[in-house]
Amino acid sequence: MTLELFGPDESTAATREDLLPGVVVLRRWTLAVDAALVAAAHGVTTISPVRHMMTPGGFTMSVAMSNCGEWGWVTDRKGYRYDRIDPETGTPWPAMPAIFQSLATEAAEEAGYKNFMPDACLINRYEPGARMSLHQDRNERDFGQPIVSVSLGLPAVFQFGGDKRSDKTLRVTLSHGDVIVWGGPARLRFHGILPLKPGQHPLLGAQRLNLTFRRAG
Ligand code: MD3
Ligand code: FE
């Protein structure tokens, strides 16, 4: 797969930005392969549909989720964890599509993390109003591994906090085709997504898809 860092003009050119120590934003990075990514995500969710999971505290999440790869992130009354089995289908999560794997490895390398080999991809589907409150990603075994996130469809406002929930947050808009890679000193920062604003995207309609690649096991 070839991803051009610089497209034909300003409006389609990919750019690289060091947002904070350990956080790199690759804007428009996946535009050249966006339809293939959406098709691959659709293939996964045809087998393991997105569903609204329950938090350990008993709240139904507004974001609908599915997974692919060796491990899938799940939550229910028993807690947050990774599982090899989709609890809805009772079978292993669908394999990670090759285009997902190569994109995640290339984006991590561009951000300075060589040989990133994700074994889990969480697919988050946001409809207008859906949000994700401030949290840390800490169910993974090795916090030395980065996380790669791909945004598709409607734009969302992302918030970065610090190492404590009460730390002040920085807001960043993530648009269709943007990739964010974080690791090192930023790996355990609090983060979240503000309620999705209504809108229509040419490829995805009234939704945002986020693909989050992790080394879980
Ligand atoms: C963490 N997803 O699934 S990932 C999640 O867009 C999750 O669906 C969000 O958080 C989503 O756990 C955002 C992107 C992200 C970006 C920067 C971070 C997570 C980050 C910086 C520090 C820590
Ligand atoms: Fe997260």
Side-chain angles (χ1 to χ4, degrees), residues 135 137 191 214:
H135 67 278
D137 290 12
H191 58 280
R214 305 187 176 94

Side-chain angles (χ1 to χ4, degrees), residues 8 16 77 81 85 93 99-100 108 111 114 116-117 130 141 145 148 162 171 181 185 190 198 206-207 216:
R16 183 189 187 286
R77 294 305 302 238
R81 63 191 176 279
I85 302 295
W93 298 100
I99 190 170
F100 280 16
K114 272 213 186 301
F116 175 57
M117 292 294 290
R141 210 179 285 279
Q145 294 279 338
V148 173
R171 291 176 178 196
V181 181
F190 277 88
Q207 58 178 335

